[in-house]
Amino acid sequence: MSSTQSFIYKEPAPILDKENPFESMMQRFDIAAHLLNLEPGLYEYLKMPVRQVIVSIPIAMDNGEVKVFEGYRVIHNDILGPSKGGIRYAPDVSLDEMKALAAWMTWKCAIMSIPFGGAKGGVKCDPSKLSSLQLEKITRRYTSNLIDIFGPDRDVPAPDMNTNEQTMAWIMDTYSMHMRRTEPAVVTGKPLLLGGSLGRREATGRGCMIVTLTAMEKIGMKPKDTSVVVQGFGNVGSVSAQLLREQGCKIIGIGDISGAFYNKKGIDVDKALEWVKHNKTLAGFPGAEQIPQEELLELECDVLVPAAKEDQITQWNASKIKAKIICEGANGPTSSKADPILQEKGILVIPDILANAGGVTVSYFEWVQDRVGYFWSLDRVNSRMEQMMKAAFHSVYETAERYNVPLRIGAYILAIDKVARTLKIRGIYA
Ligand code: GLU
């Protein structure tokens, strides 16, 4: 971008253990904007979400008592198309977190060349303490409060932390009831029966596997000589582990909220999945030795996949990480203060906005299929996703080389440049 004025990269604020996610996103945004010489007006435009909605969700609990929950939907940008992004249910959901996650969705879609903008939503609640009926009521009331925001051509939600196919089915049904017609394309990540796509559930983990293998190839690592540690054993972590193992890698460490497990001879991921199916968590899993949680990320391994939650790799543990490649399955698992430490150590970090973009890519395929009313085979879904993930990896890699920056900053540069150029051609309506 041409500009007369550029941005000064500010040193991060004083040391904090848990980074504010919006600040964490902005630290990287600022570096990329500076390198791009982004015009000040465009900088301001892209920093600020286009819409931030907070809704109150009153629910009659099972005993008749009324409880009020707070819900959010932040649309960061819709310049490239309808905004897209998940909905999460968690006690620590906040507007700042939504703002960061919505912006990450904008960058993610831009990197993948998907015609979507970025959004994120959530409800502040503890789903583990709520019955299915209460979750259904929360979801339906949240949806009806946001009925003018959502829509196949406006804003399209998807699952995220603690939401799933059932949640999407309730959103789709509530929206359809209000519209007086069945509208599958209003959400993605739906059950197959309701117009979901084959391969959507595994898509994020599959995407992680594809970019990890592509990165390994770049630096001459062979799957059969590669040991992998995966943090998080939900949808993303377990599928990444399973698929990397299928490719010949040895999974030596896995972990979830219940504990971390290590087996240097290799963990049978299918057995671990079977265990979780019956016991809910990995607690007591007999196929590996339990180790302290904090040791999992620091294990001697070739590839580390943090696929649990935000701020796991921080300035406190980054120097102890021994992996050669980090594939960020979660959104924001590395704090901005850890970035320079990992860079110094020469670790190749595949940033979240590229590494976990397989999910939104197959969401895009689902939306396309719903709108056309013609459904694809699993082969078609998987091979198109693989093509797009590899193409995105190479574009990010080339951008990073051109600017002589880590892949994360390369990814931001690519994304911001694309959205900024689109914005310039469209012009400012006033
Ligand atoms: N929640 C997922 C993400 O963070 C998927 C979003 C989507 O498919 O719209 O990428």
Side-chain angles (χ1 to χ4, degrees):
M1 303 297 304
S2 65
S3 155
T4 47
Q5 202 186 325
S6 57
F7 288 87
I8 316 269
Y9 168 57
K10 289 182 238 88
E11 265 307 305
I15 296 165
L16 287 172
D17 230 337
K18 186 158 169 42
E19 254 179 25
N20 170 311
F22 189 69
E23 285 303 312
S24 170
M25 190 279 296
M26 282 310 296
Q27 299 285 355
R28 282 78 172 239
F29 179 88
D30 280 354
I31 300 173
H34 173 63
L35 291 168
L36 271 171
N37 268 332
L38 190 67
E39 290 169 28
L42 291 183
Y43 173 89
E44 288 303 326
Y45 191 118
L46 295 179
K47 181 178 164 181
M48 176 102 167
V50 296
R51 208 163 296 132
Q52 306 176 51
V53 187
I54 304 180
V55 292
S56 111
I57 307 170
I59 297 300
M61 304 302 277
D62 297 351
N63 62 3
E65 189 192 321
V66 174
K67 257 187 114 166
V68 183
F69 297 88
E70 193 160 89
Y72 309 88
R73 185 71 177 169
V74 172
I75 296 175
H76 172 260
N77 198 280
D78 54 3
I79 280 293
L80 298 182
S83 49
K84 188 82 191 79
I87 290 172
R88 58 172 60 179
Y89 290 173
D92 56 355
V93 158
S94 69
L95 190 62
D96 251 5
E97 182 193 35
M98 297 294 110
K99 281 166 68 181
L101 289 160
W104 277 326
M105 288 307 302
T106 302
W107 314 136
K108 214 182 279 191
C109 294
I111 290 170
M112 294 308 301
S113 293
I114 290 172
F116 285 146
K120 204 79 173 194
V123 178
K124 206 179 176 69
C125 66
D126 185 351
S128 68
K129 299 207 171 80
L130 295 165
S131 67
S132 173
L133 182 63
Q134 289 161 354
L135 284 170
E136 177 172 354
K137 286 183 184 173
I138 290 176
T139 306
R140 288 190 184 275
R141 186 64 186 252
Y142 172 78
T143 307
S144 73
N145 281 350
L146 292 167
I147 209 78
D148 301 322
I149 301 285
F150 294 155
D153 293 307
R154 292 168 179 265
D155 179 37
V156 185
D160 200 83
M161 254 161 67
N162 300 326
T163 57
N164 53 28
E165 292 185 353
Q166 179 61 72
T167 325
M168 297 308 112
W170 290 327
I171 296 180
M172 182 269 208
D173 183 69
T174 309
Y175 184 85
S176 298
M177 289 295 144
H178 278 261
M179 294 302 139
R180 303 279 189 262
R181 62 167 193 273
T182 292
E183 188 50 272
V186 68
V187 281
T188 60
K190 295 179 295 293
L192 272 182
L193 262 176
L194 265 53
S197 175
L198 289 168
R200 174 64 185 85
R201 200 179 315 163
E202 304 80 27
T204 311
R206 177 170 290 276
C208 286
M209 177 274 285
I210 293 165
V211 287
T212 303
L213 252 59
T214 314
M216 281 164 52
E217 214 177 288
K218 276 264 180 222
I219 56 175
M221 281 164 66
K222 300 237 162 6
K224 67 170 180 39
D225 306 321
T226 301
S227 58
V228 179
V229 169
V230 181
Q231 184 202 36
F233 211 63
N235 186 33
V236 184
S238 66
V239 175
S240 305
Q242 221 175 5
L243 295 180
L244 282 166
R245 182 167 185 258
E246 238 173 71
Q247 296 295 322
C249 301
K250 186 154 72 169
I251 312 300
I252 59 161
I254 53 176
D256 66 7
I257 38 160
S258 75
F261 297 83
Y262 170 64
N263 184 345
K264 78 165 184 291
K265 294 206 189 87
I267 293 169
D268 186 331
V269 183
D270 293 336
K271 284 209 174 115
L273 269 165
E274 204 49 39
W275 181 266
V276 171
K277 212 164 117 191
H278 293 111
N279 303 283
K280 283 195 165 155
T281 66
L282 284 169
F285 174 58
E289 169 201 344
Q290 183 153 9
I291 55 169
Q293 270 293 11
E294 63 281 5
E295 283 178 22
L296 185 68
L297 299 176
E298 298 163 16
L299 282 173
E300 191 82 52
C301 66
D302 300 304
V303 173
L304 176 63
V305 184
K309 49 182 186 171
E310 287 143 40
D311 284 331
Q312 296 301 295
I313 302 174
T314 65
Q315 59 187 321
W316 310 111
N317 62 3
S319 63
K320 298 186 202 138
I321 285 174
K322 301 174 188 75
K324 299 182 188 77
I325 293 176
I326 296 178
C327 173
E328 296 185 335
N331 287 312
T334 307
S335 76
S336 67
K337 292 184 197 85
D339 279 352
I341 306 170
L342 299 176
Q343 192 186 350
E344 179 83 3
K345 286 176 69 95
I347 299 175
L348 185 66
V349 180
I350 313 171
D352 47 6
I353 50 177
L354 167 65
N356 67 38
V360 74
T361 303
V362 177
S363 273
Y364 167 50
F365 298 162
E366 180 174 332
W367 179 80
V368 168
Q369 293 171 75
D370 288 339
R371 290 170 62 108
V372 177
Y374 175 78
F375 290 86
W376 302 1
S377 68
L378 182 60
D379 255 8
R380 189 175 189 184
V381 170
N382 285 347
S383 70
R384 290 203 174 181
M385 197 252 280
E386 181 168 349
Q387 255 171 29
M388 287 173 70
M389 292 299 294
K390 285 186 172 163
F393 181 92
H394 292 302
S395 310
V396 168
Y397 200 91
E398 278 156 25
T399 311
E401 272 192 331
R402 185 149 31 96
Y403 283 85
N404 194 21
V405 289
L407 292 189
R408 188 187 314 283
I409 302 302
Y412 272 77
I413 291 178
L414 190 71
I416 294 169
D417 184 46
K418 178 161 186 194
V419 182
R421 279 189 295 122
T422 312
L423 187 58
K424 276 198 102 166
I425 299 175
R426 283 183 58 163
I428 305 286
Y429 173 74

